[in-house]
Amino acid sequence: MTEPLVRVENLTKHFPIRKGMLIERVVGAVQAVDSISFTIERGETLGMVGESGCGKTTAGRTLLGLYPATSGRTIIDGHSVHEARGSELMQVRRKAQMIFQDPYASLNPRWTVNSIVSEPLRVHKLLPNQKARNERVKELLELVGLNARHINRFPHEFSGGQRQRIGIARALASEPLFIVCDEPISALDVSIQAQVVNLLEKLQDQLGLTYLFVAHDLSMVRHICDRVAVMYLGIMVELAERDELYENPLHPYTKALLSAVPVPDPRKERERKRVILTGDVPSPINPPSGCRFHPRCPIAVERCKVDVPEWRELKPGHHVACHLAEN
Ligand code: SF4
């Protein structure tokens, strides 16, 4: 067995809450991500799903080193992301990239497409001169389905889908092995979403890329991902192969999420039973004791209020954090 490309070990990210005018004190912490662990094999797509605010975007940014980790670590292609310095850090940055949720906000409006896409080429000193960089930018634009003649246009001259393609071209410029796709389609029109997903799949086949695909659209995740991790209030509650997770969810939260996904077959759709979760997602500043899901869980028992559920492998490759889950 080869070593997974990405190994995340007990990764934790807490944002301190500070108070005080003259002397600042730390009075608490937003526990955005708490001790998550998983691996991603080379060429694999791991989906990460959960309601907004569950910590999936913070997890993606922290594991890439865009936020310092509170504890834990990420190893990408043998390099420890949070410990790397100097040339090793540059190498990690080159190998691991991010595609952002909002193509409108993630591109500098005052830069041409050429400047935007060639920036990683300049930073990583990948090509000897501007002429070579211009040629490479044109190749990258064509690779993502854009017209290379538009190299000197500005972001506002493109549609939303085209801007996301510019973001993808920029991510590809440093020839990465691994890309965190942070809700890459949620800001786009529904009609454009499938095109961008198809492009990501085509690039994965062509370039052998590995993805972490962060999303809340469970239908799209089923389409693109090999395995799926479910997050709730900063922790991972379930992880399994895609079909196993969709056909045999074990955690009550996953069951509730999946029960909300419409089924194409009208007969099955009529029979579909919705699990309605009551109450709001609790605050990550002071998460519930025991199982974090217990105030909303339809099958919670007394023990759930006190004991933190263990992360158990109930079937090969199918992990869950719930006292009552059984195979
Ligand atoms: Fe529900 Fe208890 Fe399982 Fe948590 S541990 S999901 S509260 S049954």
Side-chain angles (χ1 to χ4, degrees):
M1 284 260 299
T2 54
E3 178 66 10
L5 180 67
V6 180
R7 181 177 288 282
V8 175
E9 294 173 352
N10 300 316
L11 193 68
T12 297
K13 180 64 192 174
H14 292 180
F15 294 99
I17 302 167
R18 298 174 201 279
K19 264 203 182 148
M21 294 291 276
L22 290 174
I23 301 169
E24 270 197 348
R25 297 175 292 128
V26 174
V27 292
V30 177
Q31 300 177 29
V33 176
D34 232 334
S35 201
I36 59 170
S37 299
F38 57 87
T39 57
I40 313 178
E41 302 295 330
R42 286 168 198 270
E44 187 185 28
T45 300
L46 176 71
M48 186 172 268
V49 300
E51 290 162 291
S52 66
C54 71
K56 48 194 196 304
T57 290
T58 304
R61 289 178 180 217
T62 308
L63 74 88
L64 281 186
L66 301 182
Y67 294 150
T70 304
S71 61
R73 62 181 194 156
T74 315
I75 311 287
I76 299 178
D77 201 29
H79 301 282
S80 177
V81 172
H82 301 97
E83 286 155 359
R85 299 285 179 272
S87 61
E88 190 188 13
L89 180 59
M90 289 301 280
Q91 224 180 328
V92 174
R93 294 249 158 93
R94 191 183 154 189
K95 288 180 180 184
Q97 289 288 321
M98 186 148 188
I99 297 169
F100 294 90
Q101 176 178 3
D102 185 352
Y104 300 92
S106 67
L107 305 176
N108 188 329
R110 285 188 281 274
W111 284 18
T112 63
V113 170
N114 194 8
S115 311
I116 291 168
V117 179
S118 66
E119 192 195 16
L121 300 172
R122 285 194 303 274
V123 169
H124 295 286
K125 301 186 176 67
L126 297 182
L127 290 168
N129 53 47
Q130 190 59 44
K131 187 165 179 285
R133 285 194 288 273
N134 290 350
E135 287 311 307
R136 181 66 185 138
V137 170
K138 286 180 187 168
E139 277 172 23
L140 286 163
L141 292 181
E142 280 176 1
L143 187 64
V144 300
L146 291 172
N147 190 333
R149 279 181 307 174
H150 297 164
I151 187 168
N152 290 318
R153 292 192 176 180
F154 290 87
H156 73 266
E157 297 177 76
F158 294 88
S159 67
Q162 287 172 325
R163 283 184 238 198
Q164 193 54 292
R165 286 172 193 261
I166 297 168
I168 295 171
R170 175 179 58 187
L172 294 177
S174 65
E175 297 173 11
L177 300 171
F178 172 54
I179 301 181
V180 173
C181 307
D182 180 19
E183 306 243 18
I185 54 169
S186 58
L188 304 177
D189 283 354
V190 176
S191 57
I192 307 295
Q193 291 182 350
Q195 291 174 16
V196 172
V197 167
N198 290 343
L199 172 65
L200 290 170
E201 285 185 308
K202 185 193 91 173
L203 294 169
Q204 182 170 42
D205 288 345
Q206 220 170 322
L207 307 172
L209 296 167
T210 301
Y211 293 142
L212 174 67
F213 193 89
V214 175
H216 63 261
D217 179 341
L218 286 150
S219 314
M220 202 54 92
V221 167
R222 184 166 199 178
H223 174 76
I224 193 172
C225 298
D226 301 299
R227 287 185 303 143
V228 182
V230 182
M231 286 196 65
Y232 180 78
L233 204 57
I235 56 167
M236 260 169 58
V237 296
E238 190 158 6
L239 171 69
E241 296 280 341
R242 169 193 56 191
D243 290 342
E244 166 66 12
L245 186 103
Y246 280 75
E247 279 153 31
N248 186 27
L250 298 176
H251 195 282
Y253 178 62
T254 313
K255 289 180 185 177
L257 281 185
L258 290 177
S259 79
V261 179
V263 182
D265 179 338
R267 192 176 52 81
K268 285 191 182 160
E269 174 64 17
R270 274 195 299 277
E271 289 165 6
R272 178 165 65 100
K273 287 201 184 84
R274 289 283 317 261
V275 181
I276 309 287
L277 292 177
T278 52
D280 295 328
V281 181
S283 164
I285 296 172
N286 190 14
S289 59
C291 173
R292 289 189 180 187
F293 187 55
H294 85 254
R296 302 174 78 200
C297 180
I299 59 165
V301 293
E302 275 309 303
R303 178 184 175 200
C304 303
K305 296 180 187 167
V306 186
D307 296 338
V308 176
E310 239 181 87
W311 183 242
R312 295 180 294 145
E313 186 171 16
L314 288 190
K315 277 188 203 175
H318 194 156
H319 298 77
V320 64
C322 170
H323 296 306
L324 304 187
E326 47 188 48
N327 188 6

